[in-house]
Amino acid sequence: MITPQEFLIELEMEAATTRKMLEKIPDDKFGWKPHKKSMDIKTLSTHLADLAGWPDLILRTEQLDFENMGDYEYPDLNNRAEVLAYFEKQLAVSKAALAKASVADLVPNWTLRSGETIYDVSPKGKVVRMAFSQTVHHRAQLGVFLRLLDIPIPGSYGPSADEMEMEAKAATAG
């Protein structure tokens, strides 16, 4: 089983990539979406920033019920600076939670539901992994949104086409 400390390393690695992507969002495009069925950039980037706090949420609760959110509040973020500040806040609480967690803390089941409708019941460790996967998924969506807006995107696990093009131009100019 993966340890909380290994999750912490992965969280920090993914956070660096997510941060680079969030930094590219133009404030004047928060209402933009590529398709009527898509989220707008505000909703997508807020969700992406919120996901940074999910390891903490998972470790300190037994469930998330979309019909009874309790003290969970989804923020109203309206520009890149607010999204980045919220992302950093969420990241900090998850880093602290993972730093003090034990392997035993990852074993109990955690439930994702909406009232009586149960979407998933899994060990907390598996749900933390799912939250990381959701981060990668939504970060990729944001990359597509930015690409469609002709905004150069950063690489995730190596250089992006935009970064390689910039490097090639710099090499030929010098």
Side-chain angles (χ1 to χ4, degrees):
M1 172 181 271
I2 193 167
T3 68
Q5 291 67 36
E6 290 169 316
F7 274 141
L8 179 57
I9 292 166
E10 187 174 350
L11 175 67
E12 290 173 336
M13 182 184 77
E14 293 298 338
T17 305
T18 300
R19 185 180 298 109
K20 288 189 302 184
M21 191 70 74
L22 293 173
E23 289 171 344
K24 297 291 186 178
I25 300 170
D27 287 339
D28 66 340
K29 298 296 183 187
F30 261 59
W32 186 86
K33 59 183 177 179
H35 188 274
K36 65 183 178 182
K37 292 182 181 178
S38 298
M39 289 184 263
D40 58 26
I41 287 180
K42 174 182 176 171
T43 304
L44 178 58
S45 63
T46 299
H47 183 51
L48 192 51
D50 190 58
L51 281 168
W54 276 53
D56 170 66
L57 175 72
I58 294 159
L59 287 168
R60 67 179 166 78
T61 64
E62 295 178 6
Q63 70 174 1
L64 178 59
D65 183 349
F66 293 115
E67 285 189 18
N68 181 16
M69 301 290 277
D71 65 350
Y72 181 82
E73 289 186 37
Y74 202 68
D76 181 24
L77 308 175
N78 294 294
N79 59 56
R80 178 181 54 238
E82 289 177 0
V83 168
L84 285 164
Y86 183 66
F87 170 74
E88 296 299 342
K89 176 184 167 198
Q90 293 295 92
L91 180 60
V93 297
S94 285
K95 287 169 67 173
L98 288 168
K100 69 180 183 181
S102 69
V103 171
D105 294 324
L106 299 174
V107 175
N109 280 340
W110 193 83
T111 304
L112 183 64
R113 68 185 323 135
S114 185
E116 295 301 313
T117 303
I118 296 175
Y119 301 116
D120 186 64
V121 178
S122 295
K124 289 184 176 192
K126 182 178 177 189
V127 182
V128 169
R129 166 66 56 224
M130 182 176 58
F132 288 178
S133 296
Q134 282 290 300
T135 296
V136 172
H137 163 73
H138 289 302
R139 192 174 65 216
Q141 281 183 304
L142 181 58
V144 170
F145 284 27
L146 296 174
R147 174 70 73 218
L148 291 171
L149 291 168
D150 204 26
I151 296 168
I153 60 171
S156 292
Y157 303 107
S160 70
D162 295 312
E163 290 170 332
M164 291 187 335
E165 181 180 306
M166 287 185 278
E167 288 175 16
K169 285 181 182 176
T172 59

